[in-house]
Amino acid sequence: MTAYPPEPWNLAGQAYLSVWRVPVSELPALPDGVEPVTVGGRAQVFTAWIDYQEPGQLQYHELLATVAVRGKRLSSSITDIWVDSEVSLDGGRALWGIPKDLAALDFTHGRTFTASAATHEDWIATAAFTARPSLPVRMPAAFDVVQMLDGRLKRSPVRAKARPRPAAADWRLNEHGPLGFLAGQRPVLSACLRDFTIVFGG
């Protein structure tokens, strides 16, 4: 008997997303056989702070970086990810090959959302998001997460719905940390994904 729920995981909460364009030569390593989607020699990297809340199966905080990769449909591969839940860490690694690590994540919700992440060794990143006005439309999304699990590529389906709102985002990244490849850059797009629901895995 495992401590984490079997897949799929039904989760809910709030997410704060930024999109970056990164030279391919500066990307973190991807699994063997996985190729980034490139435009003009640059890949698309998505970073997100996620607050998993009730009524989802698990409640915890997360910071991740994922790279858009080639696939039959929209796909990404997670290169760096931190959570403050050992249940999420164990389940993510065992079920989908997601390289989760533990960190201290501090979130403050309000007109401006603020977040910070640090390990016992050093700080990783901080950010502040301020949502801009938008129509209250709930939008669906479907994509695959591609990771290496037990020496083989595993494609895990993800289905989600959220109310996206454009946002202004201010990131600070430890240039000597694992997200240092983004330091000195600015995201090309940021958004708040309000009241999302997600079904992760199949």
Side-chain angles (χ1 to χ4, degrees):
M1 181 68 69
T2 56
Y4 51 83
E7 63 175 321
W9 287 4
N10 291 274
L11 304 170
Q14 316 298 322
Y16 302 84
L17 172 78
S18 290
V19 184
W20 314 70
R21 297 189 69 236
V22 178
V24 173
S25 61
E26 298 178 16
L27 286 178
L30 294 170
D32 290 343
V34 174
E35 296 182 10
V37 175
T38 59
V39 178
R42 291 178 177 263
Q44 282 58 244
V45 177
F46 299 79
T47 53
W49 305 87
I50 306 177
D51 189 353
Y52 293 101
Q53 303 170 339
E54 294 183 340
Q57 286 177 282
L58 299 174
Q59 293 81 51
Y60 62 96
H61 301 120
E62 183 173 270
L63 168 63
L64 66 83
T66 187
V67 180
V69 299
R70 297 186 183 279
K72 293 182 178 179
R73 66 172 183 170
L74 184 65
S75 301
S76 74
S77 186
I78 298 170
T79 58
D80 298 278
I81 181 169
W82 299 269
V83 296
D84 57 4
S85 160
E86 291 190 4
V87 172
S88 172
L89 182 147
D90 292 343
R93 289 184 175 186
L95 295 173
W96 305 297
I98 298 174
K100 295 186 178 183
D101 287 313
L102 290 176
L105 293 139
D106 183 53
F107 291 4
T108 301
H109 294 279
R111 182 176 178 275
T112 296
F113 165 80
T114 60
S116 65
T119 67
H120 65 279
E121 297 172 345
D122 207 350
W123 69 285
I124 302 166
T126 66
F129 283 72
T130 303
R132 293 170 174 160
S134 67
L135 295 175
V137 178
R138 192 165 174 82
M139 298 179 63
F143 56 94
D144 290 338
V145 171
V146 185
Q147 305 295 144
M148 190 66 72
L149 178 65
D150 297 330
R152 298 172 58 185
L153 284 180
K154 181 176 177 65
R155 290 184 175 271
S156 303
V158 181
R159 290 172 288 132
K161 289 184 179 179
R163 292 188 292 113
R165 296 181 62 183
D170 179 22
W171 285 80
R172 288 183 61 240
L173 298 147
N174 183 347
E175 63 181 14
H176 303 296
L179 298 184
F181 69 99
L182 298 174
Q185 302 190 53
R186 296 183 61 127
V188 296
L189 176 70
S190 294
C192 302
L193 306 179
R194 301 289 196 197
D195 303 322
F196 73 79
T197 56
I198 190 169
V199 179
F200 198 109

